[in-house]
Amino acid sequence: MVGAVSEIPPLTTEEEMTVASEGIDDLSGVERKETTTVALDFGRITISDEIVLYLFGAPGQNRFWPLWNDLALGAVGAVVLVDTRKLQEAFASVDFFERRGIPFVVAVNIFDDGYQYEPEEVRDALVIPAEVPIVICDARERELCKNALVTLVRHAIDRTPSGLT
């Protein structure tokens, strides 16, 4: 997602999966996966003259949660990118941002080989509160990624206490 939307050449840490990941990365439901992010991705996008977002894409596996704690400090918000082929793995991400009171949106990532869920199906399955926006996204498509980020910015602004900007 970061690479699809960044206006600068993104820093990426995508690497080919090797035998070193056996027993560490669960490929159930994504058996054809050949690469994985090994640290984080970084990019930037200008939303308006007043709003520039610095983007950090962190993997969802629990071994990266210490990194999440650092990235969450001062974060305006987050996009929880949900892989519907492994829907159950999104619970921890949703919980992470809910517990910290960080505004987030859920972006349902679409895959050619995955079931195409409606946003309300995902809301029900993950018990997402009604006020949390859910968008359909293809993390490879710039316009859909931009839409997710604009939705996040609007949601974060809406959650800002009156008088603060």
Side-chain angles (χ1 to χ4, degrees), residues 146-165:
K146 282 173 46 178
N147 177 59
L149 292 171
V150 167
T151 301
L152 172 62
V153 169
R154 287 183 176 141
H155 180 57
I157 289 170
D158 289 346
R159 291 201 35 197
T160 303
S162 297
L164 298 177
T165 55

Side-chain angles (χ1 to χ4, degrees), residues 43-82:
R44 183 187 73 209
I45 185 170
T46 302
I47 301 291
S48 70
D49 288 341
E50 296 85 25
I51 301 173
V52 177
L53 301 180
Y54 293 92
L55 310 170
F56 298 88
Q61 296 98 330
N62 61 1
R63 67 181 180 270
F64 291 102
W65 289 353
L67 174 65
W68 282 36
N69 286 322
D70 291 337
L71 292 175
L73 296 174
V76 170
V79 174
V80 175
L81 190 61
V82 174

Side-chain angles (χ1 to χ4, degrees), residues 38 48 54 56 85 89 102 118 134:
V38 296
S48 70
Y54 293 92
F56 298 88
R85 300 167 301 178
E89 291 187 5
I102 297 172
E118 294 296 322
I134 298 179

